[in-house]
Amino acid sequence: AQSVSQHNHHVILSEAASLELGCNYSYGGTVNLFWYVQYPGQHLQLLLKYFSGDPLVKGIKGFEAEFIKSKFSFNLRKPSVQWSDTAEYFCAVDAGFQKLVFGTGTRLLVSP
Amino acid sequence: GAVVSQHPSWVICKSGTSVKIECRSLDFQATTMFWYRQFPKQSLMLMATSNEGSKATYEQGVEKDKFLINHASLTLSTLTVTSAHPEDSSFYICSASDQDNYEQYFGPGTRLTVT
């Protein structure tokens, strides 16, 4: 069965610091990969997705992610975080028929 | 973007009673909706896939007789937790699939507490 690992459970950064959140998945075939964000008190929102093509994917709010097939990774990055990026971030893989398998999430706290 | 609503946002019920949770896609039609469960400080776990006009498909380990799913229209899916017990207390989240862009839109979730 597919699984997703997010190694950082809690991350604390100062504003303007760079962010990289790790995500590894276990699935040998073609994958569709996603990063979702959940701001405090809000529902999950899609940050970005990868289906095929350019392995460097750009999403909303300045986020990007790089798909590295050889490493089974899909890490999320942002060059300079803002206080408003404080949220929980979930990596997910499509296990087929749009059934999403989520990682355990990373709570990001950005201090002003 | 597309909006998905859930009702109620929170509910408290007594052990042994049944609770119905509604999931609606407000501005698009969703032939497929998904129900997830999220335990505190844990990730979302897919419970079942709900297809309009057909029976739901349940994930391994999910009791279909306990978690009844009905997808009667292209904008509404319901999850009924039957004979609820305290261990059913959780956060239930639905999502609706927009087939045009292969994207899921999530509802705000329903917190169920069974006393």
Side-chain angles (χ1 to χ4, degrees):
Chain A
Q2 294 86 347
S3 66
V4 177
S5 298
Q6 290 183 243
H7 314 295
N8 316 101
H9 298 295
H10 292 89
V11 173
I12 301 174
L13 294 173
S14 299
E15 274 194 315
S18 64
L19 170 71
E20 181 161 2
L21 301 182
C23 172
N24 288 92
Y25 63 92
S26 66
Y27 184 62
T30 302
V31 288
N32 295 329
L33 295 159
F34 306 82
W35 274 99
Y36 285 88
V37 61
Q38 188 171 28
Y39 297 104
Q42 297 189 26
H43 57 276
L44 279 167
Q45 300 173 41
L46 181 67
L47 269 181
L48 47 80
K49 60 187 177 184
Y50 172 80
F51 287 177
S52 65
D54 189 343
L56 185 60
V57 180
K58 294 194 182 298
I60 61 172
K61 304 186 181 186
F63 286 90
E64 65 179 29
E66 185 175 12
F67 170 58
I68 302 179
K69 188 175 181 178
S70 61
K71 295 184 178 181
F72 297 90
S73 70
F74 189 56
N75 292 355
L76 181 71
R77 299 195 292 249
K78 185 170 184 178
S80 176
V81 295
Q82 300 173 318
W83 176 79
S84 58
D85 293 323
T86 293
E88 188 157 18
Y89 294 81
F90 293 93
C91 181
V93 62
D94 184 341
F97 305 103
Q98 289 192 289
K99 295 183 179 183
L100 296 180
V101 176
F102 283 87
T104 51
T106 298
R107 287 182 182 270
L108 171 66
L109 174 63
V110 180
S111 58
Chain B
V3 179
V4 174
S5 70
Q6 280 184 243
H7 177 80
S9 55
W10 60 270
V11 58
I12 302 172
C13 71
K14 292 187 176 181
S15 187
T17 61
S18 296
V19 174
K20 180 185 284 187
I21 302 170
E22 293 185 347
C23 176
R24 292 181 186 273
S25 57
L26 298 185
D27 48 6
F28 67 102
Q29 293 183 330
T31 54
T32 304
M33 291 184 173
F34 302 88
W35 287 95
Y36 295 84
R37 185 172 178 177
Q38 186 177 29
F39 291 100
K41 298 185 179 180
Q42 294 189 32
S43 187
L44 287 80
M45 299 291 292
L46 179 65
M47 297 174 65
T49 303
S50 168
N51 294 296
E52 187 267 338
S54 63
K55 290 184 178 180
T57 305
Y58 291 82
E59 296 301 301
Q60 194 172 12
V62 178
E63 298 176 59
K64 62 180 181 180
D65 294 329
K66 181 167 190 61
F67 299 99
L68 300 178
I69 292 172
N70 183 271
H71 195 153
S73 77
L74 288 173
T75 59
L76 173 64
S77 175
T78 60
L79 168 68
T80 301
V81 183
T82 63
S83 187
H85 290 284
E87 57 264 31
D88 299 323
S89 298
S90 191
F91 197 55
Y92 294 87
I93 302 172
C94 73
S95 71
S97 174
D98 183 341
Q99 299 295 332
D100 290 338
N101 61 15
Y102 204 71
E103 188 167 324
Q104 286 186 43
Y105 298 93
F106 286 80
T110 296
R111 183 161 302 283
L112 169 63
T113 301
V114 184
T115 61

